[in-house]
Amino acid sequence: MAVYPVTEDGVIDLAQKVIDGVTAYPAVFPSVSVAELTAALTAYKGAIQEQQAARAAAQRATETKNIEGGMLNTKLKQAIKQAEADNIDDPGNMVLIGWGPKATPTPIIAPGATTNLRSTDEGFGTICFNWDKPRTGGVVRNYSLYRTTVDPESGLAQWSLVGFYYTNEITVENQPRGTQLYYMVNAVNAGGTGPNSNTLAVVL
């Protein structure tokens, strides 16, 4: 069963076969106009060539625009820097060229304290932690989990970093077994480190 083509090449190929067949056997296909079909095929091929040429031209134009745009941005940034240098003592003048003085950087606020550090599951050297996110302070970038084997109440604990994490539900593996472990977590961002959480005592 014949299926009408859906691609450009398929339509062109079928049209050419019809033209060739009708030309070879005019008596068998007396109602088919070879001239009209040939003209339509020629026009279609021409339109495809024009489209291809337009696409190539558009690509060249886009490449040229990107090059020129890059040049403009480079020159414009250079001009702004030079203007800022010219008016270092009076930056308010920059509004005269549509460029206001640099805004005073807003300090980033460190996160608040993480709370309610707890263990949700424990296994063979493995422990699952969960804690509540800070309710105050800046946006958290990551959390740092620390561990010690010395009771923090003694004031002699030296904390070692277990790892950095990006969620408040984690699982850590290969933890020491058969000894008292103490964990705490805090939140971190570019503004600093938030207060330590509560301490969690665990024996695996």
Side-chain angles (χ1 to χ4, degrees), residues 6-103:
V6 295
T7 65
E8 291 179 354
D9 289 343
V11 171
I12 291 173
D13 182 65
L14 179 59
Q16 190 60 58
K17 287 179 179 179
V18 171
I19 291 171
D20 292 344
V22 173
T23 300
Y25 305 99
V28 179
F29 308 100
S31 299
V32 179
S33 173
V34 173
E36 291 182 359
L37 191 56
T38 300
L41 177 58
T42 300
Y44 185 49
K45 287 182 177 179
I48 292 175
Q49 291 176 345
E50 289 180 4
Q51 182 191 50
Q52 292 173 341
R55 284 177 177 172
Q59 182 176 355
R60 290 193 298 270
T62 299
E63 292 172 352
T64 300
K65 181 204 72 172
N66 290 340
I67 292 173
E68 297 300 335
M71 182 64 70
L72 173 60
N73 280 293
T74 298
K75 295 295 184 182
L76 182 56
K77 289 177 182 178
Q78 181 181 6
I80 290 173
K81 287 183 179 180
Q82 291 170 335
E84 287 176 335
D86 290 340
N87 292 272
I88 191 170
D89 295 325
D90 195 358
N93 287 339
M94 296 300 294
V95 298
L96 299 175
I97 60 172
W99 186 264
K102 290 184 178 179

Side-chain angles (χ1 to χ4, degrees), residues 67 71 91-92 99 108 113 123-124 127-128 149 184 199:
I67 292 173
M71 182 64 70
W99 186 264
I108 298 176
F124 192 79
I127 181 170
C128 299
T149 57
M184 67 92 172
T199 299

Side-chain angles (χ1 to χ4, degrees), residues 1-5:
M1 180 177 176
V3 178
Y4 195 82

